[in-house]
Amino acid sequence: MVREEDISRFATKIYDEAQRLITLVGDIIKLSQMDENSIPVEPQSVDLYELAQAAFDRLQGQAALSDISLTLQGDHSCVRGVPQILDEMISNLCTNAVKYNRPGGTVTVSVEDTPNGIRLSVADTGIGISAADRDRVFERFYRVDKSHSKQIGGTGLGLSIVKHGAAYHGAQLSLESEPDIGTTVTLLFPHKD
């Protein structure tokens, strides 16, 4: 049914779509586990600065292709939590900051131990989010820029995982954004004794 010269292209497309579905199923399972407080891992001390550095290491290639500079500032600060969920949260925020940025833009992650808790913020100089969309960006499958969602990729669950992960860890989540200026997402984790 398929011409010989088209087999490779079709196989690649099938593989890519299968990978996207596997990621989607994995994200839905993570959200369900957080909803039910049934994460099968014991909380432990996790260094948010180290997780942010690891996320940046994974994003170096993508950031370089888009001429986006990555900056990590602050201190090594630990919270009590589930490493895999915290890593996913930080990765999702950093990935979005790169994806929705502009060539020559910046992504800055700050980790700071404050009197109110451990604060992690991810700031970008990207496209920003309109006031009408700000309340909805943490909903499952919601996409601000539907016209580019296919090219940008992802499952539409990244920020929902951030929201549920924040709730699971007792962290406050806030977002500040202006169209054509950028977005800052902040997580404030309570000090735990």
Side-chain angles (χ1 to χ4, degrees), residues 32-66:
S32 296
Q33 288 174 329
M34 284 186 275
D35 282 345
E36 297 170 6
N37 271 339
S38 64
I39 306 296
V41 178
E42 281 295 312
Q44 60 191 49
S45 180
V46 181
D47 187 329
L48 296 182
Y49 189 93
E50 287 180 7
L51 288 182
Q53 183 63 63
F56 273 6
D57 290 346
R58 291 188 298 263
L59 282 170
Q60 283 296 335
Q62 185 180 352
L65 283 174
S66 301

Side-chain angles (χ1 to χ4, degrees), residues 6-52:
D6 291 334
I7 290 174
S8 177
R9 184 171 50 88
F10 285 142
T12 300
K13 182 74 170 163
I14 290 167
Y15 176 81
D16 290 345
E17 289 301 313
Q19 291 304 114
R20 192 180 67 76
L21 288 173
I22 289 167
T23 302
L24 178 64
V25 169
D27 286 351
I28 290 170
I29 289 169
K30 286 178 211 152
L31 284 168
S32 296
Q33 288 174 329
M34 284 186 275
D35 282 345
E36 297 170 6
N37 271 339
S38 64
I39 306 296
V41 178
E42 281 295 312
Q44 60 191 49
S45 180
V46 181
D47 187 329
L48 296 182
Y49 189 93
E50 287 180 7
L51 288 182

Side-chain angles (χ1 to χ4, degrees), residues 126-138:
I127 62 173
I129 302 167
S130 71
D133 290 315
R134 280 184 218 135
D135 290 337
R136 300 200 57 205
V137 294
F138 294 102

